[in-house]
Amino acid sequence: MGPVAIFCASILLALSMPSPTSAQTPPAPFLPPSPSPAPHFVNLTDLLSVAGPFDTFLDYLLQTQVIDTFQNQVNNTKQGITVFVPKDSAFASLKKSDLGNLTRDQLKTLFLYHAFPKYYSLSDFKNLSNSNPVSTFAGGQYTLNVTDASGLIHIVSNWANPKITSSVYSTAPVAVYEIDRVLLPSAIFSTEPALAPAPETKTPSDLAPAQSGIASAPKSAESSTGDATSYTTAFRLLDCMVLILSATLMLIM
């Protein structure tokens, strides 16, 4: 084979070999998308135990097992929950008979009435007020009206119009707001419950012992004046006796 033939064969061999840059790389393995992080778990019992004081509200939730309904809504739904929690002083303003005369079912309905089956932040209440009435966990006729006047939010029931006084916890899926009165539906309370009597305050008559102590000072002064008068009278009588004795002695002499 001549030099020209060898050269041509070399050219053809070089052209038939694949270049490193044209070699195909294997496809990257398919990776499934990473799962979204699970929502933060909130234990409502622990939350209400450390916040507040909400001891009375929490006791009723445990007693009626409404706490289980609320916790299930947090754990097993995407809607979340919004709870309105009266502080202890709100319960103290009611007579004991107002709640003590209710049946177990009425108590359970009353406390289901204190929550919406959906999470609402404070900023959501402006639009929510345009959707009145709003359904509660109690369902049916147990609805609430929401008003938002320049950020002052009221939760209106039939016999109470409490305002939201504090945001205790508000991170989806749980919102807990403090209110200053217990929500009272007319379906349970046919008439407006009477308020408990206010604690007694001291009247001016309660201060009588102190006043009598002060009044005793003039009496003491009168006594001192009487003693001085008696002393003056005795002194004058003694003076007269001295004069009479002096005159008698002069006559004898």
Side-chain angles (χ1 to χ4, degrees):
M1 180 181 296
V4 176
I6 295 174
F7 177 77
C8 292
S10 299
I11 294 290
L12 292 175
L13 181 61
L15 292 175
S16 63
M17 294 179 63
S19 63
T21 57
S22 63
Q24 296 183 351
T25 58
F30 175 77
L31 297 176
S34 57
S36 57
H40 178 62
F41 177 79
V42 177
N43 186 307
L44 294 177
T45 302
D46 290 346
L47 176 61
L48 295 175
S49 297
V50 299
F54 302 132
D55 295 334
T56 305
F57 184 76
L58 179 58
D59 287 345
Y60 277 114
L61 292 187
L62 296 171
Q63 174 186 335
T64 59
Q65 298 181 337
V66 169
I67 190 68
D68 297 333
T69 302
F70 288 174
Q71 193 66 60
N72 180 69
Q73 179 75 8
V74 174
N75 297 344
N76 301 318
T77 71
K78 295 181 179 180
Q79 287 78 18
I81 191 172
T82 300
V83 186
F84 302 107
V85 186
K87 50 189 178 181
D88 286 349
S89 59
F91 287 96
S93 67
L94 296 174
K95 287 186 174 180
K96 291 184 178 180
S97 59
D98 292 334
L99 301 183
N101 292 335
L102 299 182
T103 66
R104 180 178 176 83
D105 287 341
Q106 286 176 323
L107 271 177
K108 184 173 183 178
T109 300
L110 176 63
F111 288 94
L112 288 171
Y113 186 61
H114 281 72
F116 292 149
K118 187 176 180 180
Y119 166 80
Y120 293 105
S121 66
L122 286 176
S123 60
D124 292 330
F125 281 95
K126 188 67 176 179
N127 293 330
L128 189 62
S129 62
N130 299 323
S131 304
N132 290 323
V134 184
S135 298
T136 68
F137 268 98
Q141 58 188 320
Y142 296 96
T143 58
L144 293 168
N145 290 327
V146 176
T147 65
D148 185 350
S150 302
L152 182 61
I153 303 170
H154 283 82
I155 310 299
V156 185
S157 63
N158 301 109
W159 300 121
N161 182 26
K163 63 183 177 180
I164 292 179
T165 55
S166 175
S167 176
V168 179
Y169 185 92
S170 183
T171 301
V174 176
V176 176
Y177 300 114
E178 178 186 282
I179 55 177
D180 57 358
R181 290 189 63 186
V182 179
L183 296 170
L184 303 171
S186 60
I188 295 178
F189 302 94
S190 56
T191 59
E192 183 176 4
L195 298 178
E200 295 182 1
T201 56
K202 289 187 177 181
T203 61
S205 61
D206 296 330
L207 303 177
Q211 291 179 351
S212 63
I214 297 174
S216 64
K219 183 177 180 181
S220 176
E222 291 174 1
S223 177
S224 300
T225 303
D227 293 342
T229 303
S230 299
Y231 177 78
T232 303
T233 302
F235 181 78
R236 288 178 179 176
L237 181 61
L238 179 62
D239 190 34
C240 291
M241 291 179 65
V242 170
L243 290 175
I244 292 172
L245 181 60
S246 298
T248 302
L249 289 173
M250 290 178 67
L251 290 175
I252 296 173
M253 292 177 64

